[in-house]
Amino acid sequence: MKGWLLERDVSEMNLVLNLARQHATADSAPIAARIIDPFGVHNLCFVNHLSRHENVLGHAELLCLSEIQRTSVGVDFSQLTMYVTLEPCPMCAWALRSVGIGRVVFGAYNSKYGAAGSVYDFLRSGATGYSSTEVVGGVLERECGELLTHFFEGVR
């Protein structure tokens, strides 16, 4: 499932992972996403996945996309890379594919709802009518997975 791992992918994922750690609380899942362009312009977003009843669209990936669309008129999404600590769900993957994001780099695989190749493959499927997105999965997989596992064990 690995696409082309770029030199900066590990350092970017480390940054996103550290931000997820810093912003995790008892009520806030440690999931962070960051969009970056080739020139280093970026946006950081965090989400509380436990509060879906408050905002079902409050996933980190969607918040990043919304912010980029709001602040960057005419942005070429094919030049952007999203870094996220957990493999996108179907809703997020479809949104990323629909805007034409160029790359998605994620940490932990989502064995229940992953839509970047583990359960579904919305980002690369030719059946969607959108151009394919490059996917790099499992970057700092162990670290991202441990953070998420520790959080969800505390919730149960």
Side-chain angles (χ1 to χ4, degrees):
M1 153 111 86
K2 291 237 182 206
W4 293 99
L5 184 67
L6 300 180
E7 188 173 316
R8 76 174 180 194
D9 287 345
V10 173
S11 62
E12 292 291 338
M13 186 59 72
N14 258 317
L15 175 64
V16 173
L17 180 60
N18 286 332
L19 290 167
R21 284 182 182 125
Q22 291 170 9
H23 291 273
T25 67
D27 294 328
S28 178
I31 299 171
R34 172 184 173 116
I35 293 178
I36 190 165
D37 73 11
F39 308 106
V41 176
H42 60 271
N43 183 42
L44 301 177
C45 299
F46 306 98
V47 64
N48 179 346
H49 275 249
L50 294 180
S51 294
R52 291 184 186 190
H53 62 279
E54 293 175 21
N55 184 359
V56 71
L57 301 177
H59 291 208
E61 300 94 326
L62 298 181
L63 295 172
C64 280
L65 287 177
S66 294
E67 186 65 15
I68 291 292
Q69 287 182 315
R70 187 181 70 76
T71 60
S72 305
V73 177
V75 67
D76 180 1
F77 280 91
S78 70
Q79 299 299 308
L80 302 179
T81 298
M82 173 169 282
Y83 295 91
V84 62
T85 52
L86 180 64
E87 180 182 8
C89 71
M91 176 177 65
C92 294
W94 190 259
L96 290 164
R97 181 74 183 265
S98 296
V99 299
I101 196 135
R103 293 179 78 233
V104 172
V105 179
F106 67 86
Y109 288 86
N110 184 340
S111 62
K112 290 184 179 181
Y113 303 110
S118 64
V119 179
Y120 309 102
D121 198 356
F122 290 173
L123 292 173
R124 293 177 290 194
S125 171
T128 62
Y130 297 103
S131 62
S132 183
T133 299
E134 180 185 348
V135 176
V136 180
V139 177
L140 300 181
E141 177 181 5
R142 183 182 55 79
E143 294 88 339
C144 291
E146 287 174 357
L147 182 63
L148 289 160
T149 298
H150 178 72
F151 171 78
F152 286 110
E153 284 174 350
V155 170
R156 293 183 189 131

Short mmCIF file of all heavy atoms in Angstrom, two decimals, residues 3 9 26 40 44-45 48 51 57 69-70 73 75 81-82 102 106 109 111 113 120 126-127 132 138 142 149:
data_model
loop_
_atom_site.label_atom_id
_atom_site.label_comp_id
_atom_site.label_asym_id
_atom_site.label_seq_id
_atom_site.Cartn_x
_atom_site.Cartn_y
_atom_site.Cartn_z
N GLY A 3 2.87 4.26 -1.21
CA GLY A 3 3.17 5.03 -2.40
C GLY A 3 4.62 5.46 -2.27
O GLY A 3 5.42 4.83 -1.60
N ASP A 9 8.09 13.18 4.56
CA ASP A 9 6.88 12.55 5.07
C ASP A 9 6.99 12.13 6.53
O ASP A 9 6.06 12.31 7.31
CB ASP A 9 6.49 11.34 4.21
CG ASP A 9 5.92 11.74 2.85
OD1 ASP A 9 5.56 12.92 2.67
OD2 ASP A 9 5.86 10.86 1.97
N ALA A 26 -9.38 13.71 27.61
CA ALA A 26 -10.28 12.59 27.89
C ALA A 26 -11.46 12.56 26.94
O ALA A 26 -12.04 11.51 26.68
CB ALA A 26 -10.77 12.67 29.34
N GLY A 40 5.37 24.74 1.51
CA GLY A 40 5.36 24.75 2.97
C GLY A 40 4.18 25.47 3.60
O GLY A 40 4.11 25.60 4.81
N LEU A 44 -3.44 23.37 10.13
CA LEU A 44 -3.54 22.32 11.14
C LEU A 44 -4.97 22.25 11.68
O LEU A 44 -5.59 23.27 11.90
CB LEU A 44 -2.59 22.60 12.31
CG LEU A 44 -1.12 22.73 11.94
CD1 LEU A 44 -0.32 23.10 13.18
CD2 LEU A 44 -0.61 21.44 11.34
N CYS A 45 -5.47 21.05 11.87
CA CYS A 45 -6.82 20.87 12.40
C CYS A 45 -6.85 19.71 13.37
O CYS A 45 -6.10 18.75 13.22
CB CYS A 45 -7.80 20.58 11.27
SG CYS A 45 -7.92 21.89 10.07
N ASN A 48 -12.54 16.23 17.78
CA ASN A 48 -13.03 15.40 18.88
C ASN A 48 -13.98 14.38 18.27
O ASN A 48 -15.14 14.66 18.04
CB ASN A 48 -13.75 16.27 19.90
CG ASN A 48 -14.30 15.47 21.05
OD1 ASN A 48 -14.39 14.25 20.98
ND2 ASN A 48 -14.67 16.15 22.10
N SER A 51 -17.46 13.47 19.89
CA SER A 51 -18.59 14.40 19.88
C SER A 51 -19.28 14.43 18.53
O SER A 51 -19.69 15.47 18.06
CB SER A 51 -18.12 15.81 20.25
OG SER A 51 -17.68 15.82 21.58
N LEU A 57 -19.68 16.19 10.97
CA LEU A 57 -18.69 16.54 9.95
C LEU A 57 -17.39 17.03 10.55
O LEU A 57 -16.52 17.51 9.83
CB LEU A 57 -19.27 17.60 9.01
CG LEU A 57 -20.56 17.21 8.29
CD1 LEU A 57 -21.07 18.38 7.46
CD2 LEU A 57 -20.36 15.98 7.44
N GLN A 69 -10.22 25.71 1.69
CA GLN A 69 -11.15 26.29 0.73
C GLN A 69 -11.57 27.70 1.14
O GLN A 69 -11.76 28.57 0.30
CB GLN A 69 -12.38 25.40 0.56
CG GLN A 69 -12.06 24.15 -0.23
CD GLN A 69 -13.27 23.28 -0.45
OE1 GLN A 69 -14.06 23.03 0.47
NE2 GLN A 69 -13.43 22.81 -1.67
N ARG A 70 -11.71 27.94 2.43
CA ARG A 70 -12.12 29.25 2.92
C ARG A 70 -11.02 30.29 2.77
O ARG A 70 -11.29 31.45 2.46
CB ARG A 70 -12.52 29.13 4.40
CG ARG A 70 -13.13 30.39 4.99
CD ARG A 70 -13.48 30.22 6.45
NE ARG A 70 -12.33 30.11 7.32
CZ ARG A 70 -11.56 31.14 7.71
NH1 ARG A 70 -11.82 32.35 7.28
NH2 ARG A 70 -10.54 30.95 8.51
N VAL A 73 -8.31 30.90 -2.07
CA VAL A 73 -9.11 30.92 -3.29
C VAL A 73 -8.28 30.43 -4.46
O VAL A 73 -7.13 30.83 -4.64
CB VAL A 73 -9.64 32.34 -3.57
CG1 VAL A 73 -10.41 32.39 -4.86
CG2 VAL A 73 -10.49 32.81 -2.40
N VAL A 75 -6.95 27.47 -4.99
CA VAL A 75 -5.87 26.54 -4.68
C VAL A 75 -5.96 25.30 -5.58
O VAL A 75 -7.05 24.83 -5.90
CB VAL A 75 -5.89 26.14 -3.18
CG1 VAL A 75 -7.12 25.33 -2.84
CG2 VAL A 75 -4.63 25.38 -2.81
N THR A 81 -0.66 17.85 -0.09
CA THR A 81 -0.53 16.58 0.61
C THR A 81 -1.21 16.72 1.96
O THR A 81 -1.00 17.70 2.66
CB THR A 81 0.95 16.20 0.83
OG1 THR A 81 1.59 16.06 -0.44
CG2 THR A 81 1.08 14.91 1.62
N MET A 82 -2.02 15.73 2.30
CA MET A 82 -2.62 15.68 3.63
C MET A 82 -1.88 14.63 4.45
O MET A 82 -1.66 13.52 3.99
CB MET A 82 -4.09 15.33 3.60
CG MET A 82 -4.63 15.12 5.03
SD MET A 82 -6.39 14.99 5.15
CE MET A 82 -6.83 16.71 5.01
N GLY A 102 -3.79 15.69 -4.07
CA GLY A 102 -2.76 14.92 -4.75
C GLY A 102 -2.23 13.73 -3.99
O GLY A 102 -2.00 12.67 -4.56
N PHE A 106 -0.89 8.70 5.75
CA PHE A 106 -1.50 8.46 7.06
C PHE A 106 -0.65 7.52 7.89
O PHE A 106 0.21 6.81 7.39
CB PHE A 106 -2.93 7.94 6.93
CG PHE A 106 -3.07 6.57 6.33
CD1 PHE A 106 -2.98 5.43 7.13
CD2 PHE A 106 -3.30 6.41 4.97
CE1 PHE A 106 -3.13 4.17 6.58
CE2 PHE A 106 -3.44 5.16 4.42
CZ PHE A 106 -3.36 4.03 5.22
N TYR A 109 -3.56 2.34 10.41
CA TYR A 109 -4.63 1.83 9.56
C TYR A 109 -5.91 1.77 10.36
O TYR A 109 -5.91 1.54 11.56
CB TYR A 109 -4.27 0.43 9.04
CG TYR A 109 -3.18 0.47 7.99
CD1 TYR A 109 -1.85 0.46 8.34
CD2 TYR A 109 -3.52 0.54 6.64
CE1 TYR A 109 -0.85 0.51 7.38
CE2 TYR A 109 -2.53 0.59 5.68
CZ TYR A 109 -1.20 0.58 6.05
OH TYR A 109 -0.22 0.64 5.11
N SER A 111 -8.93 -0.38 10.71
CA SER A 111 -9.40 -1.72 10.34
C SER A 111 -10.92 -1.84 10.22
O SER A 111 -11.41 -2.80 9.65
CB SER A 111 -8.87 -2.75 11.33
OG SER A 111 -9.37 -2.48 12.63
N TYR A 113 -13.08 1.11 9.30
CA TYR A 113 -13.67 2.04 8.34
C TYR A 113 -12.65 2.64 7.37
O TYR A 113 -12.95 3.61 6.70
CB TYR A 113 -14.35 3.19 9.08
CG TYR A 113 -15.41 2.73 10.05
CD1 TYR A 113 -15.20 2.85 11.42
CD2 TYR A 113 -16.58 2.17 9.60
CE1 TYR A 113 -16.16 2.42 12.32
CE2 TYR A 113 -17.54 1.73 10.50
CZ TYR A 113 -17.33 1.86 11.85
OH TYR A 113 -18.28 1.43 12.73
N TYR A 120 -11.77 -0.15 2.32
CA TYR A 120 -12.22 0.40 1.04
C TYR A 120 -11.04 1.12 0.40
O TYR A 120 -10.04 1.38 1.06
CB TYR A 120 -13.35 1.41 1.25
CG TYR A 120 -14.48 0.91 2.11
CD1 TYR A 120 -14.57 1.31 3.45
CD2 TYR A 120 -15.44 0.05 1.62
CE1 TYR A 120 -15.60 0.85 4.26
CE2 TYR A 120 -16.48 -0.42 2.43
CZ TYR A 120 -16.55 -0.01 3.75
OH TYR A 120 -17.57 -0.45 4.54
N GLY A 126 -10.78 3.73 -9.65
CA GLY A 126 -11.10 4.37 -10.92
C GLY A 126 -12.58 4.52 -11.16
O GLY A 126 -13.01 5.19 -12.09
N ALA A 127 -13.41 3.92 -10.31
CA ALA A 127 -14.86 3.94 -10.50
C ALA A 127 -15.51 5.23 -10.04
O ALA A 127 -16.71 5.41 -10.23
CB ALA A 127 -15.48 2.76 -9.76
N SER A 132 -7.11 9.87 -9.55
CA SER A 132 -6.59 9.08 -8.45
C SER A 132 -5.71 9.91 -7.53
O SER A 132 -5.05 10.84 -7.95
CB SER A 132 -5.79 7.91 -9.02
OG SER A 132 -5.34 7.08 -8.00
N GLY A 138 0.80 3.86 6.70
CA GLY A 138 1.65 3.23 7.68
C GLY A 138 2.89 4.02 8.08
O GLY A 138 3.81 3.46 8.65
N ARG A 142 3.15 2.40 14.10
CA ARG A 142 3.16 1.92 15.48
C ARG A 142 2.87 3.04 16.46
O ARG A 142 2.02 2.91 17.35
CB ARG A 142 4.51 1.27 15.80
CG ARG A 142 4.58 0.69 17.21
CD ARG A 142 5.95 0.09 17.55
NE ARG A 142 7.05 1.02 17.37
CZ ARG A 142 7.39 1.99 18.24
NH1 ARG A 142 6.69 2.14 19.35
NH2 ARG A 142 8.40 2.79 18.01
N THR A 149 -4.87 3.57 20.43
CA THR A 149 -5.25 2.44 21.28
C THR A 149 -5.33 2.88 22.74
O THR A 149 -6.29 2.56 23.45
CB THR A 149 -4.25 1.29 21.13
OG1 THR A 149 -4.30 0.84 19.77
CG2 THR A 149 -4.60 0.13 22.05
#
